[in-house]
Amino acid sequence: MALEALRLCLDRGRDIQAALDRALTASPAAGPGDAALATELAYGYLRFRGRLDFLLDTLLAAPGRTSSAVRRILGLAAYEILFLQSVPAYASVDWAVGIIRRRLGRTMGNVANAVLRALVRLDGAPLREDYFRERTAGDISFLSVWYSCPPWLVRLWIGAYGREEAEAFLRASLCVPPPGVRVNRLHPLGAELFRRLEPLAAASSAWGMALGNWPDFLDEAVSLGQATRQSFATQRILDSLEPQEWPEPVLDACAGRGGKTFLLREAGKTVWASDVNAFRLRQLRAEGLRLGLFVPAFLSPGQGPYPLRHAPRTVFLDAPCSGLGVLSRRPDIKWKRTGRDCRQLAGLQRKLLDSAAGLLPAGGVLAYVTCTLHPEENERQVERFLRDQPAFHLVCRERTGADSGLGEFFYGAVLRKR
């Protein structure tokens, strides 16, 4: 299942969670334990793929001639051997060698057997920094391999944030982010649920929290509309932009599935939702039914035109972005995204911002949020907007700190039209 999910993700371009859902659905006989292992393997492999590939290069006699399919099987087995103590090493070797022999013959099976047994003999050495520092040339190469991140991204972060903060971002990208929950304050049982969750919180705000673990009883609460799964870092960036001060109505112009739309609605704001994707809007409407809340939603590009009789007083842009701030939750992004993608997304963001500027009346607010760590999409994007749109001034801007402990990083800015 993990192999199929990775094939769909890396070869067919699906998001890793969608790929995993598809692979699990195609295996109805799999039990909860099988699904949990497949999830751990798929996400773990993607988080550590760079380090695993480097190890395989040192152990393979001809790494350049080894197919991507074989490397993926070897990489999954290597992840099990190094990071999953609950799986005996011999079992990892056995299944990987068996698959390769069945698909590619005995010779490749023997190669796989030799490589994985050599890895087992290394014992815990590949878990130590010095093992990789001694085998890489220069700081960028070491950081790229040890933190399993493409070199271009390592250079970008060091240039933008300095080495110390860049390394903190790299370190966070390898960690599993804490599960987040937002309690529906408008639900009759919301306050009671929040009190029940408080002892489990690693961090909390008025109606949201990061949890040490996701308790079983919370699944039912979510299904009944009492709460929503949502990253606490997401909730915190919106809180820092003080949405209670935004004039209404608020147009969420890139609403997607409605995660932030309903956060604003639960906070008492009058919200309209728009998105370019009809499927996401159907999901948004389903989310409203689950929560017992209604938000007018319509299909429209983020830059308009909008089928509105009256102008909004606030435009909220949860802008399409490179996603480099949420690699801990979406580790597939770092193996798909390129510098060219980032430049194209910055161009789209510029159009969205300029369109929103023309939509707002005097005194209107433009709130801009991304889930990336890229100055061209964040600070420089806002600076460019202020130069080109002198009618606006900056009210505030925030960025998740490297020391937040949440493993995800967001940028947000609020601009007001004079």
Side-chain angles (χ1 to χ4, degrees):
M1 289 183 290
L3 275 173
E4 175 62 9
L6 290 171
R7 184 187 71 83
L8 292 171
C9 175
L10 297 174
D11 299 341
R12 298 293 181 86
R14 288 179 180 263
D15 293 347
I16 181 54
Q17 189 56 55
L20 196 54
D21 290 344
R22 176 75 175 269
L24 294 175
T25 301
S27 304
D34 298 319
L37 178 59
T39 301
E40 170 65 29
L41 284 173
Y43 275 89
Y45 171 81
L46 288 169
R47 287 193 180 99
F48 288 91
R49 178 185 171 189
R51 194 188 301 183
L52 296 170
D53 279 348
F54 181 86
L55 279 171
L56 293 177
D57 284 346
T58 65
L59 297 173
L60 284 161
R65 295 202 301 270
T66 305
S67 71
S68 60
V70 170
R71 292 181 73 94
R72 200 170 294 162
I73 295 168
L74 292 175
L76 276 176
Y79 178 79
E80 275 192 344
I81 291 167
L82 293 173
F83 296 102
L84 297 188
Q85 304 306 313
S86 60
V87 180
Y90 71 82
S92 302
V93 174
D94 186 63
W95 74 255
V97 171
I99 288 177
I100 291 174
R101 276 181 177 159
R102 286 194 298 274
R103 293 184 180 180
L104 298 167
R106 181 172 295 276
T107 299
M108 282 307 303
N110 291 341
V111 170
N113 185 62
V115 167
L116 292 177
R117 291 191 181 280
L119 177 62
V120 172
R121 287 194 296 272
L122 289 175
D123 197 22
L127 297 175
R128 300 196 307 266
E129 282 191 43
D130 60 342
Y131 181 88
F132 295 91
R133 195 178 289 279
E134 292 166 1
R135 290 164 174 79
T136 50
D139 196 45
I140 297 294
S141 178
F142 163 70
L143 292 172
S144 174
V145 170
W146 177 246
Y147 292 111
S148 191
C149 227
W152 74 266
L153 185 51
V154 176
R155 293 189 190 94
L156 171 71
W157 283 355
I158 289 178
Y161 308 110
R163 192 191 186 285
E164 182 178 353
E165 197 168 14
E167 187 169 12
F169 293 141
L170 290 165
R171 188 179 302 113
S173 74
L174 295 181
C175 299
V176 179
V181 63
R182 185 186 80 239
V183 175
N184 183 357
R185 70 188 80 182
L186 301 180
H187 194 283
L189 299 178
E192 179 183 337
L193 177 63
F194 191 87
R195 286 192 295 271
R196 189 178 180 188
L197 288 169
E198 277 186 302
L200 307 176
S204 64
S205 60
W207 290 96
M209 56 186 68
L211 301 171
N213 292 289
W214 185 271
D216 291 340
F217 70 81
L218 198 46
D219 288 329
E220 182 179 11
V222 169
S223 69
L224 295 173
Q226 299 169 19
T228 298
R229 288 178 178 267
Q230 188 175 51
S231 145
F232 188 61
T234 298
Q235 299 175 60
R236 182 173 278 181
I237 194 67
L238 252 69
D239 286 347
S240 72
L241 300 180
E242 300 184 338
Q244 68 274 13
E245 302 298 326
W246 301 353
E248 301 172 58
V250 178
L251 171 62
D252 186 350
C254 303
R257 298 173 178 85
K260 298 180 183 71
T261 310
F262 287 105
L263 185 156
L264 294 170
R265 178 66 185 85
E266 289 170 21
K269 308 302 287 187
T270 298
V271 187
W272 305 333
S274 172
D275 198 85
V276 69
N277 186 288
F279 176 69
R280 289 197 293 260
L281 283 179
R282 288 196 295 272
Q283 292 180 307
L284 182 147
R285 294 185 179 106
E287 184 74 348
L289 290 173
R290 181 184 69 83
L291 292 167
L293 300 172
F294 174 71
V295 168
F298 50 89
L299 187 69
S300 179
Q303 60 268 38
Y306 303 103
L308 301 173
R309 294 183 180 179
H310 307 287
R313 297 294 309 285
T314 297
V315 175
F316 173 52
L317 287 178
D318 182 18
C321 69
S322 55
L324 302 178
V326 291
L327 300 183
S328 59
R329 193 175 302 277
R330 288 280 316 282
D332 53 318
I333 289 175
K334 61 186 174 182
W335 308 119
K336 299 174 179 177
R337 194 67 75 207
T338 66
R340 181 182 180 185
D341 294 335
C342 296
R343 289 189 294 274
Q344 290 176 339
L345 285 162
L348 174 59
Q349 293 155 5
R350 178 173 185 162
K351 292 178 182 177
L352 293 172
L353 284 163
D354 290 345
S355 175
L359 190 62
L360 288 166
V365 162
L366 174 51
Y368 177 74
V369 168
T370 73
C371 60
T372 195
L373 288 168
H374 195 307
E376 291 299 328
E377 301 177 67
N378 294 342
E379 294 87 353
R380 291 174 195 158
Q381 187 71 270
V382 169
E383 290 164 4
R384 190 280 315 165
F385 176 83
L386 290 171
R387 286 195 304 271
D388 292 352
Q389 302 285 347
F392 283 81
H393 68 276
L394 180 68
V395 176
C396 67
R397 59 181 166 189
E398 301 288 340
R399 176 166 61 83
T400 310
D403 59 352
S404 69
L406 298 174
E408 297 178 291
F409 306 94
F410 291 78
Y411 175 85
V414 174
L415 309 126
R416 187 179 292 273
K417 194 171 188 178
R418 297 180 178 90

